[in-house]
Amino acid sequence: MSRPTISAVAQAAGVSVASVSRVLNGQPATPEMTEKVRRAAEALSYVPDSRARSLKVGRTFQLTLAVADVGNPVYVTMMRAVESVVAAAGYRLVVTTTGPDVVDEVALVRGMARGYADGLVISPLRVDDDLIKSIRECDVPVVVAGSVPAKAGVDTVRANSPKGMLLAVDHLKQAGRKRIAFVNGPADTVPGEARARGFAEAMKKFRLTPAGTIDAADFTFAAGRAAGQEAGPKLLKDTKPDAIICANDLLAVGLMHVLAERGLAVPKDIAVIGMDDSELAEQCYPTLTSVNLGSAERGRRAAELLLARIDDATRAPRRIVVQPTLSVRKSTP
């Protein structure tokens, strides 16, 4: 059975092919005309030929979201937010993984020249001059969900990790916890640097001495367990922290598994705070107090910036900062 054509829709609606094209492409049309065309298209189960549409207007009507790890719950939340915005504008979203290496991030940005998408939202784990250069020279609009230098001259949406750390340390101090340790991911990454700096600044502001730091190999559950198993015993023995802040929820849950194996109760013996406030924070036991860094809001704003850039390539770049909140649950007093 052949697929319905635009001519068939026009005949069923009793209007011209040009009128059908205007309605289906979102161009101005009277309410009566719009209703006729939509009813006819629905009755015929008409699906626009995206390939023909792409050739005609010079667009793929496809956008790409690139993240370090599609398995990380925070990126899943961001993906859903981006998809809801771009889908409403008539675009499909393709999600891809860059991994942790900046070389792969650069390769992906440069690969956009192949023309398989009209724009890119990228959340880079690491940033260097090559990546910034590739973003600036990219053949399609790029929005960075993360931190890059202002000199890069690109649209960005980032979290305020230092303020998030301030909220976490303040909460613990108010609860009487003063021997606070920190479990970070790799310090040479964008989130690792920002959260390490934020932890140091927050501890200094509240005149507290850090009870130790651990740099995990990655921002994963497995890395959190490994950090707890390898460095945890020395940390617990030497400084005896009464609270630990982790750079994300996956690290925090991995660490809590190790604390439970060592017979330490959370939060009675040690309070634990994560960052990202992902779905995992509600799913673990005890439920995890976590800094909400606005992953959904960052995804939504990044998608809006990308659509605006596609519509107007000449406008001045925007740099948006999404402010954090603290979600208090059972892992802290």
Side-chain angles (χ1 to χ4, degrees), residues 114-266:
R114 297 171 188 160
Y116 61 82
D118 299 327
L120 169 68
V121 174
I122 184 170
S123 183
L125 200 57
R126 291 178 169 86
V127 173
D128 65 7
D129 290 341
D130 282 345
L131 179 61
I132 293 172
K133 183 174 184 291
S134 66
I135 290 173
R136 294 186 65 177
E137 297 176 353
C138 189
D139 290 341
V140 300
V142 179
V143 173
V144 176
S147 296
V148 295
K151 67 179 181 180
V154 299
D155 294 308
T156 62
V157 182
R158 68 174 178 86
N160 189 341
S161 291
K163 184 176 179 181
M165 278 293 179
L166 196 66
L167 294 175
V169 173
D170 182 40
H171 172 66
L172 291 170
K173 185 180 179 185
Q174 293 294 331
R177 306 295 174 108
K178 298 180 179 179
R179 300 189 307 278
I180 304 172
F182 177 49
V183 176
N184 197 10
D188 66 337
T189 60
V190 172
E193 185 280 328
R195 293 169 198 187
R197 173 167 45 86
F199 177 74
E201 291 172 353
M203 295 295 284
K204 182 177 180 181
K205 177 179 176 62
F206 290 107
R207 298 180 181 180
L208 297 173
T209 300
T213 61
I214 300 173
D215 286 341
D218 206 341
F219 290 97
T220 62
F221 170 84
R225 276 191 59 86
Q229 291 169 336
E230 294 168 10
K234 185 176 186 302
L235 175 71
L236 297 173
K237 180 180 178 181
D238 293 350
T239 62
K240 296 181 174 60
D242 56 17
I244 300 176
I245 299 174
C246 297
N248 76 352
D249 292 347
L250 287 166
L251 289 171
V253 175
L255 177 69
M256 286 201 298
H257 275 238
V258 176
L259 295 178
E261 290 166 1
R262 298 186 181 280
L264 295 168
V266 176

Side-chain angles (χ1 to χ4, degrees), residues 4 8-15 20 23-24 31-46:
V9 175
Q11 184 176 0
V15 300
V20 174
V23 171
L24 296 181
E32 181 182 3
M33 178 76 70
T34 300
E35 182 65 19
K36 284 183 178 180
V37 171
R38 289 181 175 170
R39 283 184 178 178
E42 183 176 347
L44 294 173
S45 299
Y46 172 76

Side-chain angles (χ1 to χ4, degrees), residues 67-116:
V67 298
D69 177 12
V70 293
N72 188 322
V74 71
Y75 291 134
V76 174
T77 300
M78 183 179 292
M79 175 196 69
R80 289 171 179 162
V82 172
E83 199 277 334
S84 67
V85 173
V86 303
Y91 287 87
R92 297 180 300 273
L93 182 67
V94 175
V95 181
T96 187
T97 300
T98 62
D101 294 331
V102 71
V103 172
D104 294 326
E105 295 170 344
V106 171
L108 182 138
V109 175
R110 290 177 176 166
M112 298 301 292
R114 297 171 188 160
Y116 61 82

